[in-house]
Amino acid sequence: MICDKVQHFKVQLLPNDRPPEYLPIAKKMRSLKTSAVGTAIGTLLILLAPPVQAANITFVSDRAALGASDRLDWSSLGPVQPPFKILPNSFSVTSEGGLGISVNIPQATTPGVTPPLVFQTLPSPGIPTNFAKGDFILLTGLRPGPPPALGNPGPLTITFDRPVAAAGTQLAVDDALLFTASIAAFDSANNLLGSFSRQGTSSLALDNSAQFFGVRSDVANISRLVYSSSEGNRALGINALSIAEAVPEPSNIAATAVAGAGLALFAFKFKRRSLSN
């Protein structure tokens, strides 16, 4: 009731009827109110704005450590009739989470090398590798024949429709017991974010020992991955691609909630003080 009466009194007072001593006070109150509201809104915008930080790219050698939230299995490209499925050198596919992904493998310069292909690695008479038994493998292409078989060295480029925070896959090189492979990450402006090289091995053990090559960034700015190896005439093979898209940090979510509650309480108290005056 008190608040209603005060408000009614303020409405009824016409500018010409207000005492001279009231006018400076009213003007000051409006100025304070505008300033306080502006400060509150500005503070909220600063708190809600994403933090500006330099991206930190790191190498990830373990699939579980990547923290994947999405996955692309090459079996999604369609039925694989033994021994393999032939693919074009460039194609597009969608991850399990709906992310569009483009793959590009340059055409081989060595005569007789096949286009890229997908096969399921299985014990002989299947195609054994050192990926896990049953994995579907994307291979850059090879020339059929006795080992060591010539193949397409790539590079193998994977481009995401929208930037991601992390991605990676296991990699092997056909008919190369030891090799050095590299992964390079680029942003949407084609800036190199980071590149890493590690030694890998290949075998026919079907023991899931193929080295994992992944990268992770502090922000979702990875638009393209490029895989290559030290072997200039051998095919690259990779299994399922693991992907992590950026999510808000729990600490940021909590800070935003606390800030919002604090600003709401501030506005409520300021309104009560304004009406009581």
Side-chain angles (χ1 to χ4, degrees), residues 202-217:
S202 296
S203 72
L204 308 179
L206 287 172
D207 59 357
N208 200 35
S209 63
Q211 174 68 47
F212 185 83
F213 286 80
V215 288
R216 178 171 52 225
S217 175

Side-chain angles (χ1 to χ4, degrees), residues 138-149:
L138 171 62
L139 194 72
T140 53
L142 79 167
R143 187 167 71 187

Side-chain angles (χ1 to χ4, degrees), residues 40-177:
I41 293 174
T43 303
L44 182 59
L45 290 175
I46 292 172
L47 289 169
L48 293 179
V52 177
Q53 62 183 112
N56 181 34
I57 298 289
T58 56
F59 179 76
V60 181
S61 60
D62 181 76
R63 191 183 294 271
L66 190 79
S69 57
D70 197 2
R71 183 174 184 270
L72 172 61
D73 194 289
W74 303 112
S75 62
S76 64
L77 294 171
V80 176
Q81 300 296 331
F84 45 73
K85 176 184 179 68
I86 297 291
L87 299 171
N89 286 83
S90 297
F91 60 89
S92 297
V93 64
T94 303
S95 71
E96 293 176 4
L99 177 65
I101 298 172
S102 299
V103 178
N104 179 262
I105 301 166
Q107 187 171 354
T109 57
T110 304
V113 172
T114 69
L117 51 89
V118 170
F119 67 89
Q120 187 175 27
T121 183
L122 294 167
S124 184
I127 304 175
T129 66
N130 65 330
F131 294 99
K133 177 183 175 181
D135 278 3
F136 285 88
I137 310 303
L138 171 62
L139 194 72
T140 53
L142 79 167
R143 187 167 71 187
L150 297 178
N152 184 348
L156 191 158
T157 301
I158 297 171
T159 304
F160 305 103
D161 277 3
R162 59 180 179 270
V164 301
T169 182
Q170 288 170 265
L171 183 149
V173 175
D174 185 44
D175 288 343
L177 180 61

Side-chain angles (χ1 to χ4, degrees), residues 236-254:
L236 292 176
I238 62 173
N239 64 354
L241 183 68
S242 293
I243 308 158
E245 295 200 58
V247 296
E249 294 290 340
S251 57
N252 287 347
I253 295 174

